[in-house]
Amino acid sequence: MHSWHRLLTAAVVVTVTLVLAKLVDKALSRRELAPEVATRYRTIRRAVTTAIVFVGVLSALLVIPQVRAIAGGILASSAVIGLIIGFAAQRTLGNAIAGLLIAFSQPLRLGDTIIVDDVEGTVEEIGLTYTFIRTGDDTRFVIPNEKLASDTIRNLTIRSTEQAAEITMEIPLDQDLDAALEALRSETSGDVYVSSLGEKTAVVTMCEPTPSLADAERLARDLRVRAHRRLRAAGVFA
C-alpha cells in the first residue's frame, strides 16, 4: 500500500473519530438534569469523549508502518516507559481520578455555593482535572480536583431537610414549674426546657424534630393547642 493511501486512511480514521466523539458528546449533553445527576453525567461525558478520541487517534497512527515500528519498540520497553510516564503524569492522573470521585461521591455539585480556602463561590464547571469556581466579583477560582478531594470543603447549598417544630409559652412563677414541665413532656417526644426566667414568668420551650419545614409548621400549630390543653388540665392556666 502506498504511503499516501496510509496517510489518507489515517486521516479518515481521525476524522470519523472526531465526528463520532462530537455526536456522542452532543447526544449526552441534551438532557436537562438535576444538579447531582448533571455533575456525574458531565464528568462521564468528558471521560467517554476523551477515550473515543484517544483510541481513534491511536488506531489511525498505527496504520502507518513507521509508527507501528516505533510502537513495537515502545512496547518492548513498556516497563521503563510506563514507569517514566507514571511519574510524569502522577499529578494529572491523580486529578483525573479525583474528578471521577467528586462526580460520584458529590461533596459538591454544579451550582453549589462552597467555601474553599476562605474563598466563597459557585461551582461553575467540574472538569476531569480542574474545577472552576465563580466568585462574587465574577472572577474564576480554578482548583485542582485532587485538592478538592482531599481538603475540607464547606458546602453552603447541601443542607439537611430536617426542621424542628418549636413553640414557647410563659408559665407564671407562682405555679409549680416542675409539674408544668412534666405535663408538657407528656405531650411531645422532643425536648421541653426553661429557656429564660423573668420576674413573674418562666419562658418554657417545646421542641420536636420533623422531616421538613412544612411538617414543622403543622406540628407547631398542633403543639400550641395540646400544650394549652395540658396546662389547663394541670391547673396552670385558669
Side-chain angles (χ1 to χ4, degrees):
M1 184 182 288
H2 297 294
S3 59
W4 66 270
H5 284 161
R6 297 190 182 97
L7 291 175
L8 180 61
T9 302
V12 170
V13 171
V14 170
T15 303
V16 171
T17 299
L18 294 176
V19 171
L20 178 61
K22 186 67 176 177
L23 291 175
V24 170
D25 183 69
K26 189 175 181 180
L28 292 175
S29 64
R30 285 177 179 172
R31 302 181 181 181
E32 291 293 332
L33 302 169
E36 62 273 12
V37 180
T39 301
R40 187 180 300 120
Y41 204 69
R42 188 174 297 188
T43 304
I44 294 175
R45 196 179 93 204
R46 285 196 172 86
V48 169
T49 303
T50 302
I52 292 174
V53 172
F54 177 78
V55 172
V57 172
L58 183 63
S59 301
L61 291 176
L62 290 177
V63 171
I64 304 172
Q66 292 85 348
V67 175
R68 277 206 306 270
I70 294 173
I74 290 175
L75 289 175
S77 57
S78 58
V80 177
I81 296 298
L83 188 61
I84 294 173
I85 293 176
F87 277 114
Q90 183 178 9
R91 185 57 59 87
T92 301
L93 291 174
N95 283 323
I97 293 171
L100 292 173
L101 289 175
I102 290 171
F104 283 93
S105 61
Q106 298 198 346
L108 67 158
R109 306 162 303 177
L110 295 174
D112 280 0
T113 301
I114 65 171
I115 298 177
V116 182
D117 290 343
D118 296 326
V119 175
E120 180 177 338
T122 303
V123 180
E124 187 175 58
E125 189 71 33
I126 301 177
L128 281 176
T129 53
Y130 292 93
T131 292
F132 293 80
I133 310 297
R134 187 180 70 252
T135 60
D137 58 358
D138 209 32
T139 58
R140 300 301 184 273
F141 191 50
V142 183
I143 309 174
N145 287 335
E146 195 173 21
K147 176 179 176 61
L148 290 176
S150 58
D151 281 7
T152 301
I153 304 168
R154 185 179 178 190
N155 194 317
L156 304 180
T157 302
I158 300 177
R159 300 175 183 269
S160 173
T161 59
E162 292 186 359
Q163 296 287 333
E166 184 176 294
I167 65 169
T168 59
M169 66 214 75
E170 292 184 353
I171 307 295
L173 290 180
D174 58 1
Q175 299 291 327
D176 187 342
L177 189 56
D178 288 332
L181 291 174
E182 285 301 318
L184 292 172
R185 288 190 180 109
S186 66
E187 290 293 329
T188 178
S189 59
D191 198 10
V192 178
Y193 57 93
V194 177
S195 51
S196 66
L197 283 172
E199 293 183 1
K200 296 183 178 181
T201 61
V203 177
V204 175
T205 298
M206 293 179 68
C207 184
E208 185 173 332
T210 64
S212 67
L213 179 60
D215 290 328
E217 292 174 349
R218 285 192 294 269
L219 181 57
R221 292 193 293 266
D222 185 50
L223 282 176
R224 292 186 188 98
V225 175
R226 285 156 48 190
H228 183 266
R229 183 189 305 121
R230 176 63 65 175
L231 291 174
R232 286 197 65 180
V236 176
F237 295 151

